[in-house]
Amino acid sequence: MSYQESGGRLYGLLAEFETPGALIAATTRAREAGYRRLDAYAPYPIEELVHAIGHHHSKLPMMVLGGGILGCLSGLGLQVWVN
């Protein structure tokens, strides 16, 4: 299905960039143009890319930490109770 056949709605775009600066610049321009559902991949972490895409902070790391602590305490409590 082409762009015209879909009623003028753009469903996706794929691009490759030679430098990290070009990737960040293109991502920033796309975000300024109003696109909000962006994703980018690089062979190594690029801190500026996270800010250019506009990712927000997630509560997931704190939930995982809480689950790990709860699991550790539960396991230790079970060992103490069994012995």
Side-chain angles (χ1 to χ4, degrees):
M1 179 181 298
S2 70
Y3 178 70
Q4 288 80 17
E5 293 172 354
S6 65
R9 295 186 62 190
L10 183 63
Y11 289 105
L13 180 68
L14 178 68
E16 183 176 344
F17 299 96
E18 293 292 324
T19 64
L23 172 62
I24 293 166
T27 307
T28 303
R29 285 194 304 266
R31 183 104 173 128
E32 290 171 354
Y35 295 100
R36 296 292 178 247
R37 299 180 78 184
L38 300 172
D39 203 359
Y41 300 98
Y44 50 87
I46 302 173
E47 183 68 28
E48 296 86 13
L49 186 59
V50 175
H51 300 296
I53 290 176
H55 279 288
H56 60 281
H57 294 285
S58 174
K59 295 180 183 178
L60 184 62
M62 292 306 291
M63 293 171 57
V64 170
L65 176 64
I69 291 171
L70 180 65
C72 180
L73 292 176
S74 297
L76 182 61
L78 180 63
Q79 289 178 18
V80 169
W81 178 68
V82 168
N83 286 322

